[in-house]
Amino acid sequence: MAAKITVRDLTMAYGDLIIMKDLNFEIDDKDIFVIIGSSGCGKSTLLRHLIGLQEPTKGSIHFGEENFTAIDPDERRAFMRRFGVMYQSGALWSSLTLGENISMLLEEAGTWEASTVRDLVAYKLALVGLSGFEDFYPAQISGGMKKRAAIARAMALDPDILFLDEPSSGLDPLSSRRLDELILGLRDSQKSTIVIVTHELASIFSIATKALFLDTATKTQGAIGPPCELRDHSSNPAVRLFLNRGSLSKATSS
Amino acid sequence: MNSKTSRMTTLTHPPPTADWQQDGKEMTLELAGDWRREGPSVKVSGKVLDKNPTRYGLSSLGFYDSTLPAFLLAHFRRVSASAKDKKELPPLDGLPDQLRGLLVLALAVPEESVLSLPTDAGSTREKLGRMTMHFFNKVQAFLEFTGLTALSLLRLCTGRARFRTSDFWLVLQQCGVEALPIVALISFLIGLILAFVGNVQLTHFGANLYVADLVGIAMVREMGVVMTAIIMSGRTGAAFAAHIGSMKSNEEIDALRTFGFNPIDFLVLPRLLALVLMMPILTIYANVIGIFGGMVVGSFVGIPPELYWHETLASLDMTTSSLGVIKSVFFGATIAMSGCMMGMQSGKSSAAVGEATTQAVVASITAIVVLDSAFAAIFTLLEI
C-alpha cells in the first residue's frame, strides 16, 4: 500500500501557545524522513499529530488520498494499524514481559499458531540485539535496552510506516549503528516508510533521504530536503548551523 | 575555585558593592569586594537607571562566584525588558574573559517573553471563574468517561470488546482473594463493636438476647457492605488509579491507542467486571464474619452460640439479607469507575499520579456514602 504522507498548512498549538505553524511537506513512499530541530521545538508534537494522537489546530494530514484528520474514528483506527510507533520514553507496557509486549500485537492482529508467534517475537527481539530477553519485564532492563525493545515492538506487525521518536538517544555507538542498518534494511526489505525524530547527525547523513528542519525562532519549517544538501547549501543559516554542529560563536555571529 | 574559597575564608572579606557612576553619556559600573554566595548581599549605590553600563570599573574587585554574573544578568534582563530592541547585547568589554564568556552564553538565547503557561495566579474573581470551569470540566469528563465505559460494555455484550483475559484473572485475584484477610479483620471487629455497644444498652431492658438481631441486621443491611466498599476503595480503587495513572505518564496508554487497542476496553473493562463480580462475594463474606464477631461477644455476655445463631436466623429474612448484596454491585462499579477514571485523567508527572490516587479514594468513598443514603431513602419508601 502506498504510504505517501502529505501535510498541509499544519498548525499545532496547546491552547493559545502556538508550537509550530504553516507546516507544508510531503513524505514519499520508502523515504527515510528525519525531523530535526533544537530541543523543545515541537518535533515530538509533530509526530503525535502524524500518528493521530493529537488534533491539529489548523490544517490537515493526508495518507495517500485519505484525509487522516477528517476520517471517522473506526477508519482512523484501521489506518493506525498500519503504523509502528516507538515513543521517546519507550512506553513499553510495564505489566507485560518484553515477549508479551510484542506478542500482544500479533495476537490482536490475527489468529496465529503459538509457535509462529513465539518465533516472530524471538526474531523481532533478535533484530534489536535482545535475543533471550523475552521473559524480562521492562523494569528489569536498562534504559537503552528498553529503547531497543520498544523498537522491536514498533516493528512487530511489519508496519507500512514506522515512526521513531529519538530511537538512538541513550544507545551506545554500536547499537546506534546497528539501528541505522536495521532501518535501512526495513526500508529495503519491507518497503516501509520511516519517519524519525533524531539528533544523531551521523545517522542523519548516512541514512536519511529527506530532512525537515523545524525552526524555533520563526515557529515554522526552516528547510526541507536531503540532509547533505541542506548542510552545505541551505539558504537558511540556522539549518546550516544546526547540521554543521555550529559552535556558539558562529551562532551569535549569524 | 574551591581551594581558592577555602584559602580566602581565613582572610577578611570586603563586602560586595556595585556603584553606578554617570558621567555625561558614560555609565560606569564600579564593582568591588568579594562576591560570595555565603557573604553579605550586594550593596548598590548611585543612581540605577534602566540602561546598560558602558564601562566597568574592576580595580577593587576581589573574588567572585556565580553571584556576580547573576547580578549582571538580572540587570541586563531588566534593561532589555524595557528596551525597544530586545536583541541588542549589552557591552561586555572590560569584564574578565571568564566572566564575559559565561555572560555571552547566558545571553545567547534571548528570554522567551511570549511563553504564557497557565498559572494559578490572578484575582479572586479569576480564581473563582477558573474553579467553576474546572468543576464543569470535571463533570463533563465524568459523563464522558461513563459514556465511553457504557459503550465499551455494549461492545463486550456484542463480543467486540477485547482485553487480555489474563489481566481479568489477575485483577480478580487482587481484588478478591487477596482482600479476604483485611475484610475479615475489619468486619470481625465491626461485629464485635456493634455487639458490645448493643449489649450495654439492651441489658438495661433485660433484652440482651436482641444483640443478635441488632448485629445481624446492621451487618447485612449496612455495615458489611459499606465497610467492604471503603476497604476496597482504599485498597483496589487506589491501586487502579495509581496503575493506570503511571501507565499514562509513561505514554503506555498512547501506545495502546496507536497499536489499535481501545484503552477503555483494555484497562477499564477487566477491572470493572472483576470488582463488580467480587464485591457481592466479599460482602457476603464480611456479613458472615461480622455475625461471627457478634457471636463471640454474645458468648461472653451470656448468650450461648446456639441461641445466638437461632436468634440471628429468626431476625434475618431473604429480603433483608439481599439488600447489602444488591448495594455491593453498585458500590463495586463506583469504586472501579472512579479509580479508572482518575487514573485515565491523571497528569503526566509522578505528583499527578499521587493526586489521582488521592482523588480516586476520596471520590469513591464520597460516592459510596451518597449512594448508600440514596438506597436508604429508596428502601424506606419501598418499606423494606
Side-chain angles (χ1 to χ4, degrees):
Chain A
M1 249 195 283
K4 182 174 161 160
I5 308 170
T6 318
V7 171
R8 287 195 198 129
D9 300 324
L10 181 70
T11 296
M12 314 184 288
Y14 288 106
D16 294 335
L17 185 68
I18 289 181
I19 311 287
M20 278 284 149
K21 56 181 189 248
D22 305 326
L23 299 180
N24 275 294
F25 60 89
E26 282 178 4
I27 303 173
D28 285 319
D29 219 3
K30 282 180 278 172
D31 255 348
I32 295 181
F33 187 91
V34 296
I35 302 170
I36 52 178
S38 46
S39 52
C41 74
K43 300 182 295 293
S44 297
T45 310
L46 176 57
L47 207 65
R48 289 175 67 85
H49 278 78
L50 291 177
I51 57 185
L53 280 181
Q54 237 166 303
E55 297 298 321
T57 310
K58 216 182 90 212
S60 57
I61 297 161
H62 302 255
F63 285 90
E65 297 302 308
E66 202 77 51
N67 183 346
F68 187 58
T69 7
I71 56 176
D72 68 78
D74 277 341
E75 271 184 85
R76 178 182 282 211
R77 210 166 297 131
F79 251 103
M80 283 159 80
R81 278 180 213 282
R82 296 169 49 200
F83 298 168
V85 184
M86 193 219 102
Y87 289 83
Q88 202 170 347
S89 62
L92 292 166
W93 295 305
S94 50
S95 53
L96 307 180
T97 63
L98 300 191
E100 286 170 333
N101 260 285
I102 298 170
S103 64
M104 190 168 97
L105 298 180
L106 298 171
E107 282 153 11
E108 171 70 13
T111 347
W112 314 61
E113 292 281 329
S115 63
T116 318
V117 172
R118 201 177 52 238
D119 292 349
L120 275 171
V121 169
Y123 167 64
K124 298 290 174 185
L125 282 175
L127 278 181
V128 293
L130 283 175
S131 284
F133 281 88
E134 278 92 336
D135 293 332
F136 281 65
Y137 282 93
Q140 293 169 320
I141 58 175
S142 80
M145 286 158 91
K146 269 186 225 172
K147 210 127 217 187
R148 285 188 277 156
I151 296 166
R153 186 181 67 176
M155 302 185 310
L157 293 173
D158 302 335
D160 292 337
I161 312 170
L162 188 60
F163 296 94
L164 305 171
D165 195 351
E166 302 204 6
S168 52
S169 72
L171 291 193
D172 59 277
L174 286 181
S175 301
S176 168
R177 171 77 188 277
R178 251 178 97 116
L179 179 65
D180 286 354
E181 282 162 14
L182 181 62
I183 290 169
L184 283 175
L186 277 180
R187 197 263 313 260
D188 295 338
S189 66
Q190 291 169 10
K191 317 285 177 225
S192 307
T193 305
I194 295 158
V195 181
I196 315 172
V197 169
T198 185
H199 292 295
E200 189 90 3
L201 287 178
S203 91
I204 291 173
F205 293 126
S206 59
I207 63 168
T209 53
K210 223 195 234 180
L212 169 73
F213 179 79
L214 298 180
D215 196 345
T216 13
T218 56
K219 294 206 183 295
T220 187
Q221 67 193 65
I224 184 163
C228 292
E229 216 167 278
L230 289 185
R231 174 186 55 190
D232 302 329
H233 308 295
S234 172
S235 55
N236 187 341
V239 179
R240 287 204 307 274
L241 204 63
F242 189 94
L243 290 173
N244 283 307
R245 244 178 145 249
S247 67
L248 196 76
S249 56
K250 274 188 200 162
T252 41
S253 67
S254 68
Chain B
M1 215 176 262
N2 270 341
S3 63
K4 201 172 172 185
T5 323
S6 59
R7 199 167 60 243
M8 288 184 62
T9 42
T10 55
L11 306 167
T12 52
H13 300 291
T17 57
D19 187 29
W20 294 89
Q21 294 160 359
Q22 193 168 17
D23 181 18
K25 283 208 154 185
E26 290 285 291
M27 188 77 167
T28 310
L29 176 59
E30 195 73 44
L31 299 164
D34 280 348
W35 295 65
R36 300 178 312 123
R37 277 191 308 269
E38 305 84 2
S41 57
V42 58
K43 262 205 196 73
V44 183
S45 53
K47 200 170 176 204
V48 186
L49 296 172
D50 274 348
K51 262 191 208 160
N52 284 324
T54 47
R55 284 197 309 137
Y56 298 92
L58 305 167
S59 50
S60 8
L61 179 64
F63 169 81
Y64 62 86
D65 57 20
S66 287
T67 47
L68 179 55
F71 169 77
L72 291 172
L73 186 68
H75 181 75
F76 297 151
R77 287 257 193 266
R78 252 197 318 278
V79 174
S80 81
S82 58
K84 284 187 196 101
D85 180 13
K86 309 241 186 242
K87 294 253 167 81
E88 195 191 77
L89 286 178
L92 300 171
D93 297 331
L95 289 173
D97 281 347
Q98 239 188 345
L99 189 56
R100 200 176 58 229
L102 290 171
L103 282 169
V104 166
L105 261 178
L107 291 164
V109 180
E111 193 171 20
E112 193 78 61
S113 53
V114 290
L115 269 187
S116 56
L117 286 172
T119 53
D120 285 338
S123 65
T124 321
R125 213 186 305 168
E126 219 176 309
K127 276 184 193 157
L128 192 68
R130 209 178 285 130
M131 272 162 66
T132 317
M133 296 282 286
H134 183 73
F135 174 74
F136 281 112
N137 286 343
K138 281 267 171 204
V139 172
Q140 195 191 348
F142 169 74
L143 292 177
E144 197 183 322
F145 185 78
T146 317
L148 285 173
T149 313
L151 284 178
S152 170
L153 276 171
L154 218 63
R155 275 199 296 278
L156 181 78
C157 296
T158 55
R160 284 187 300 139
R162 258 185 307 234
F163 54 82
R164 282 161 56 91
T165 34
S166 58
D167 272 2
F168 171 71
W169 291 116
L170 195 70
V171 182
L172 207 62
Q173 179 187 337
Q174 281 168 354
C175 66
V177 182
E178 289 175 14
L180 287 180
I182 179 81
V183 170
L185 175 70
I186 301 286
S187 8
F188 179 76
L189 292 177
I190 290 289
L192 220 67
I193 294 164
L194 283 175
F196 268 126
V197 175
N199 180 54
V200 171
Q201 301 304 319
L202 290 170
T203 318
H204 293 313
F205 309 103
N208 70 346
L209 178 59
Y210 290 105
V211 165
D213 299 53
L214 186 140
V215 172
I217 293 174
M219 277 317 286
V220 301
R221 278 189 79 124
E222 296 292 342
M223 294 315 282
V225 61
V226 170
M227 290 319 289
T228 310
I230 289 176
I231 294 166
M232 296 313 277
S233 300
R235 207 182 164 277
T236 308
F240 288 175
H243 188 187
I244 296 178
S246 64
M247 282 185 79
K248 172 134 189 211
S249 72
N250 191 25
E251 295 179 302
E252 286 176 46
I253 293 185
D254 287 341
L256 278 176
R257 212 168 266 144
T258 32
F259 287 113
F261 299 96
N262 184 326
I264 303 269
D265 289 5
F266 208 80
L267 298 172
V268 180
L269 269 192
R271 290 176 167 77
L272 181 66
L273 291 178
L275 206 53
V276 165
L277 207 68
M278 273 302 151
M279 268 300 284
I281 299 175
L282 283 174
T283 302
I284 295 172
Y285 174 73
N287 292 347
V288 173
I289 301 271
I291 290 170
F292 174 68
M295 198 183 280
V296 170
V297 174
S299 65
F300 280 109
V301 297
I303 312 167
E306 300 86 354
L307 187 59
Y308 189 98
W309 183 239
H310 183 78
E311 188 60 32
T312 304
L313 286 183
S315 67
L316 298 178
D317 56 17
M318 208 51 213
T319 321
T320 314
S321 312
S322 61
L323 291 183
V325 179
I326 293 169
K327 288 196 278 191
S328 72
V329 175
F330 292 89
F331 290 176
T334 308
I335 297 166
M337 291 279 287
S338 54
C340 294
M341 183 175 83
M342 294 306 173
M344 296 288 266
Q345 292 169 0
S346 145
K348 290 203 163 183
S349 65
S350 46
V353 175
E355 206 173 299
T357 313
T358 313
Q359 280 179 348
V361 176
V362 172
S364 58
I365 292 183
T366 314
I368 285 162
V369 175
V370 171
L371 264 182
D372 196 45
S373 323
F375 274 118
I378 293 169
F379 292 156
T380 312
L381 284 176
L382 294 176
E383 294 177 358
I384 302 174

